[in-house]
Amino acid sequence: MQCTQIQINHHYVGLWFGHDFHPQFPSFAACSKELKECSGHVFVDSVPEFCLPETELIDLSTVDVILISNYHCMMALPYITEHTGFTGTVYATEPTLQIGRLLMEELVNFIERVPKAQSASFWKNKDVQRLLPSPLKDAVEVSTWRRCYSMQEVNSALSKIQLVGYSQKIELFGAVQVTPLSSGYALGSSNWVIQSHYEKVSYVSGSSLLTTHPQPMDQASLKNSDVLILTGLTQIPTANPDGMVGEFCSNLALTVRNGGNVLVPCYPSGVIYDLLECLYQYIDSAGLSNVPFYFISPVANSSLEFSQIFAEWLCHNKQTKVYLPEPPFPHAELIQTNKLKHYPSIHGDFSNDFRQPCVVFTGHPSLRFGDVVHFLELWGKSSLNTVIFTEPDFSYLEALAPYQPLAMKCIYCPIDTRLNFIQVSNLLKEVQPLHVVCPEQYTQPPPTQSHRMDLMIDCQPPAMSYHRAEVLALPFKRRYEKIEIMPELADSLVPIEIKPGISLATVSAVLHTKDNKHVLQPPPRPTQPTSGKKRKRVSDDIPDCKVLKPLLSGSIPVEQFVQTLEKHGFSDIKVEDTAKGHIVLLQEAETLIQIEEDSTHIICDSDEMLRVRLRDLVLKFLQKF
Amino acid sequence: MLDCGMHMGFNDDRRFPDFSYITQNGRLTDFLDCVIISHFHLDHCGALPYFSEMVGYDGPIYMTPPTQAICPILLEDYRKIAVDKKGEANFFTSQMIKDCMKKVVAVHLHQTVQVDDELEIKAYYAGHVLGAAMFQIKVGSESVVYTGDYNMTPDRHLGAAWIDRCRPNLLITESTYATTIRDSKRCRERDFLKKVHETVERGGKVLIPVFALGRAQELCILLETFWERMNLKAPIYFSTGLTEKANHYYKLFITWTNQKIRKTFVQRNMFEFKHIKAFDRAFADNPGPMVVFATPGMLHAGQSLQIFRKWAGNEKNMVIMPGYCVQGTVGHKILSGQRKLEMEGRQVLEVKMQVEYMSFSAHADAKGIMQLIGQAEPEHVLLVHGEAKKMEFLKQKIEQEFRVNCYMPANGETVTLPTSPSIPVGISLGLLKREMAQGLLPDAKKPRLLQGTLIMKDSNFRLVSSEQALKELGLAEHQLRFTCRVHLHDARKEQETVMRVYSHLKSILKDHCVQHLPDGSVTVESILIQAAAHSEDPGTKVLLVSWTYQDEELGSYLTSLLKKGLPQAPS
């Protein structure tokens, strides 16, 4: 699990979920004590527990907004909305909400069926854990692992979600605008653009450039980003999803032709739609038309139905089908022709309809709970059967470990359509962000393939990386903010063209700030002196020195200045040259004006009328700033 | 251009808008940035192929996905009636409908679509029919909201219209039911069911002219559940093959229906009917009671009109008009009480069947319109899509209640609205922070003046401090300084005079920084005061008060203060 928090401008804190939150492996197996050995591996026997996102660093009650990237990234939401003092808003698209609900519902349902009543805790003692073999020894933050939430908590959490559509601009606190964009990875999956008028941060997580069922990734709207935060890349950068799908189909066909059964541990939504579509095109040519396909999940029916109603979130081909009107996914036809059947669980109708050989899609892909456990026990002893792993979230070897020894064939065809490093480099070329920020592991080759320099992000300037619990200052400097000039004030401005194409106007106005929106209003009219009834105090007249006068620029041509003086009734004017300029003498008025390139000094008696007249004549030659 | 409808009441040139109003001459594409279609009813999209293919328009046409799906079907339906049945010439072809639809761009709810560099549009849910939308059209800080047709109360299959407080400069709203405050939905439904039931009981036939999509689905759901509950046997038919297709659309676009249907669709599809069957033309002559939903809804052509002609003569029968009818249509004529209709070929049709009007068409009533105005908070309101007399009444009400200007222009009339947009500029953060920090000072109640320079280059407007503006333009500051001589009658030494000046100023200028410097001068903020002996009169001292133009007020104040003289030293 990963989350990224961004703080902007003091008043806004956002939180994103990057990767999925996973059931942690040390769980499952049957023994009276907590620890159990199986084929040389040690396991913890417990109710499944879940590792939460980092909550120590962040006070979640201060988080204002959570933006959800896709339905795989919201599985920890109930822990946050229900138990941390979080009072903000959660934004997500409609498919993310609906399918996320299905995933949670399935999880809760599976966990409720796990017969264990107790959570194992003895092994979590640091002194005990230290002595355990890997991977138990290396498990992080085990003390914070939690039991699964209830359906009630799920409903409460989801009720806090505010639905948004792609390219919808959402104003937050008047300070920033956030916009979800299609990320191409799953139904309703989003990248998020967070921008003010002068800065733009893009959060790219779980994106795909492949053409599968979702709407293609919106790359154009990511352009001109100051910072692009990149995360949720493919977990298997060396596997080509197309090749994997081909392998999946051929292994499936081979097994069934030999009279064996195929088990596909999977989530109830997502890649399964693409697999069913491939099989729809494949089964007739492969002579599989009589083989039953079973999809078993408490949310199987809902998932298949929901997939058909999100036309707006689908790729172009599928959208056009809806206009005919035809269901966008061909699994509707598989169901109609009885080739695909779906059941809420292995109990009830399924036991009557069950025919072998067959293909079963069911969860949970961790193999620690759900109906998949039943099929592994049923089919594990025969080498005719095959289990095909398609979900990339779990190591299939670790997942299978407690079931060893296993005679069943195991095929690993991980299908992860998220960006690989070649696609990332193409994306960055296209989008050209000023800075890239990403998790540390993307800036170096994977530890197991340290020679593969191509398996890392390569960009200029080099990506800024962060690791768990690190706080990073994003590399941009804010220089401007938007302010609105009220029409009355705008009318009063007098622009002067200083250079070709550049005009200036001095502004003196009253600043009003409300809800982070700044407005400039015309200055108040000078108040009329109140009638003299009240005794006037001396201090009433004292001017406010905070009222700034504009700066001046320009120079004063002496000859013209003298002419102007004469025109305004001054006589007896004498001009003397000095080293740096001139002195203009008004002998009658005992006044002296020193004029230099960038300064003017008026020296006179305390005759305010005279001084003001001279001042205004000088100002005529200068520009105000 | 907002909507592109046709007039149901005319069969000649007048049925389509006169687009030469827009161009005078020249191509439409040069005059229009885009066309927005609010929903699929023909009075809002019926002229679209004529407009884009026959008059000629190549720009984008925006509509929601359900409208995009259903609109071509209704256009084709309409074309068939006009050309195939009535044999009209100079009408758009099927190919033209297809070509026209290729220019359509789908808009999703709340998505902000950037039409060009300046113009952006955003759709809101309108509830009137499947896919109906209201549109906000925005350029800079100025905006217009066009409602299309909308409904502020949720019905059996659609939700209520909703808009945020977007404060447009102008709200253009429909006003079909400008003066009607409709009774509760339940009452209307009960009334409708009672009338249908009574007619069927006495062996009569009920004709309900509808449009294939929209109200029809709501009434079908209503009758279906009633038939189920009352265990009625009389057949219900739905005309034309559109039904099934229509129901498919409702299923696939279920996210556009109301909350309840969306929640339960996995368990039960509300659009699969048990009691409602497809209609065959021959059924119209069957004896016994029946209920028929037939298209089109205004009895201006097609199957509904055919059935109406067959059944009109029998007083046992009933026609229920569930929606609004445009002037000139048969529907409008019978609703206004006409019982002798002149049909084609000078034939006169006498209407003996009962004629009922039930306002089921999902328009906002007066209350709903007021509610929407309250939600959006526009500066001006413009009424369209209604009848002048009723609009006049509503206009007064709006002006009274909301204190906004309300307009109701006739066709072809131009309305000019004044707007005063504020100008967005970028303010340098340094200047803004300096100003906001001052706002936090204790006597912040006094309005403070922000002083800055607006730099305008092309369309880039930036407000910066004066210093920064000078620096950016590479200009030097010109310093303007004043020095005033103030004569004081004081025989004491200069130093003592200075001391007296200092203590005098200190006692008056409590909020200012008054300092006595070691070199014998006094400063008030950045204003310098020095004393010198008078060259001729030893009993007079000359104070030199010196300040820059930026300290103008304070400098001027000080000279006038000192000119009044110093108070006598307390003895």
Side-chain angles (χ1 to χ4, degrees), chain B residues 298-364:
Chain B
M298 298 187 194
L299 283 180
H300 56 282
Q303 201 154 33
S304 61
L305 187 59
Q306 281 172 23
I307 300 172
F308 173 74
R309 290 166 82 161
K310 276 193 179 152
W311 293 357
N314 191 337
E315 60 272 9
K316 269 208 293 191
N317 297 338
M318 178 182 281
V319 59
I320 300 180
M321 305 298 297
Y324 177 79
C325 292
V326 169
Q327 223 162 21
T329 60
V330 172
H332 188 267
K333 284 176 192 157
I334 58 169
L335 280 183
S336 49
Q338 215 174 314
R339 287 296 174 264
K340 287 206 170 115
L341 300 172
E342 196 173 317
M343 308 304 278
E344 286 141 43
R346 292 209 184 147
Q347 215 182 333
V348 173
L349 180 70
E350 196 168 345
V351 181
K352 288 184 183 158
M353 78 197 296
Q354 295 178 49
V355 178
E356 292 289 344
Y357 171 68
M358 310 216 79
S359 128
F360 268 101
S361 73
H363 293 278

Side-chain angles (χ1 to χ4, degrees), chain B residues 226-298:
Chain B
F226 186 69
W227 249 238
E228 184 95 33
R229 201 175 72 221
M230 305 295 285
N231 201 17
L232 297 179
K233 293 284 177 272
I236 309 176
Y237 298 113
F238 200 116
S239 81
T240 75
L242 254 178
T243 356
E244 202 159 325
K245 231 177 171 184
N247 292 341
H248 253 304
Y249 281 117
Y250 275 88
K251 210 186 153 185
L252 293 171
F253 286 113
I254 209 115
T255 53
W256 289 78
T257 59
N258 70 23
Q259 201 82 39
K260 195 181 151 207
I261 294 185
R262 283 157 60 177
K263 260 195 169 151
T264 56
F265 91 101
V266 176
Q267 288 80 42
R268 180 162 181 264
N269 178 9
M270 289 289 270
F271 299 105
E272 266 161 26
F273 303 117
K274 233 169 62 189
H275 296 273
I276 302 168
K277 297 178 189 75
F279 181 73
D280 187 288
R281 194 184 297 200
F283 294 172
D285 300 321
N286 285 0
M290 67 173 84
V291 179
V292 175
F293 288 96
T295 56
M298 298 187 194

Side-chain angles (χ1 to χ4, degrees), chain B residues 47-237:
Chain B
L48 207 49
Y50 168 77
F51 159 78
S52 76
E53 305 311 308
M54 297 173 78
V55 182
Y57 168 76
D58 297 317
I61 301 169
Y62 293 99
M63 51 177 86
T64 65
T67 308
Q68 191 186 2
I70 295 164
C71 176
I73 296 173
L74 295 185
L75 286 172
E76 182 59 32
D77 213 42
Y78 167 46
R79 192 196 68 79
K80 271 191 200 146
I81 291 173
V83 178
D84 298 355
K85 296 221 171 113
K86 292 193 192 159
E88 284 181 42
N90 194 25
F91 209 79
F92 53 77
T93 63
S94 294
Q95 188 56 43
M96 286 177 180
I97 298 176
K98 282 182 191 140
D99 292 341
C100 164
M101 292 311 289
K102 282 181 193 147
K103 297 169 183 169
V104 171
V105 182
V107 184
H108 306 299
L109 282 186
H110 302 162
Q111 174 194 9
T112 303
V113 177
Q114 207 71 44
V115 176
D116 57 32
D117 289 347
E118 294 172 326
L119 183 64
E120 61 179 48
I121 60 173
K122 179 178 176 182
Y124 291 92
Y125 191 78
H128 172 66
V129 287
L130 194 72
M134 307 187 276
F135 281 88
Q136 182 194 39
I137 301 121
K138 201 171 166 188
V139 173
S141 61
E142 294 176 283
S143 64
V144 175
V145 168
Y146 171 61
T147 66
D149 292 355
Y150 62 102
N151 184 13
M152 294 298 283
T153 45
D155 62 28
R156 281 180 185 265
H157 74 301
L158 295 171
W162 177 86
I163 195 161
D164 52 17
R165 203 194 302 156
C166 54
R167 298 193 170 119
N169 296 93
L170 174 65
L171 175 78
I172 305 174
T173 173
E174 65 135 326
S175 48
T176 318
Y177 291 128
T179 53
T180 329
I181 302 286
R182 288 180 300 172
D183 43 11
S184 90
K185 190 91 191 172
R186 294 269 159 224
C187 288
R188 262 179 293 148
E189 288 177 358
R190 218 172 21 234
D191 217 24
F192 169 77
L193 291 171
K194 200 175 133 212
K195 278 180 181 143
V196 173
H197 192 191
E198 281 169 4
T199 310
V200 173
E201 285 287 281
R202 63 167 181 259
K205 295 173 167 62
V206 183
L207 171 64
I208 309 171
V210 287
F211 286 99
L213 288 128
R215 225 33 40 200
Q217 274 68 29
E218 186 188 0
L219 296 179
C220 282
I221 294 174
L222 194 63
L223 279 189
E224 169 90 7
T225 39
F226 186 69
W227 249 238
E228 184 95 33
R229 201 175 72 221
M230 305 295 285
N231 201 17
L232 297 179
K233 293 284 177 272
I236 309 176
Y237 298 113

Side-chain angles (χ1 to χ4, degrees), chain B residues 464-532:
Chain B
V464 300
S465 65
S466 309
E467 295 88 344
Q468 191 182 338
L470 280 175
K471 207 170 132 196
E472 273 187 34
L473 294 165
L475 297 176
E477 188 193 337
H478 188 105
Q479 206 184 57
L480 176 58
R481 180 167 275 283
F482 306 95
T483 300
C484 272
R485 294 181 292 261
V486 180
H487 299 264
L488 274 186
H489 293 287
D490 191 352
R492 276 167 274 206
K493 281 193 179 141
E494 282 119 63
Q495 290 92 324
E496 283 172 51
T497 313
V498 169
M499 262 323 280
R500 287 181 66 205
V501 168
Y502 171 68
S503 36
H504 178 52
L505 293 181
K506 186 91 183 162
S507 70
I508 290 176
L509 300 167
K510 294 207 170 62
D511 292 338
H512 293 76
C513 173
V514 183
Q515 282 180 300
H516 188 197
L517 299 184
D519 69 356
S521 55
V522 170
T523 59
V524 179
E525 306 290 347
S526 54
I527 294 161
L528 186 72
I529 304 167
Q530 287 171 313

Side-chain angles (χ1 to χ4, degrees), chain A residues 312 323 509 590 600-601 615, chain B residues 68 256 450 478 483 485 552:
Chain A
E312 303 162 41
Y323 292 154
E590 287 190 51
T600 301
H601 194 167
R615 177 194 72 191
Chain B
Q68 191 186 2
W256 289 78
L450 175 145
H478 188 105
T483 300
R485 294 181 292 261
E552 174 76 359

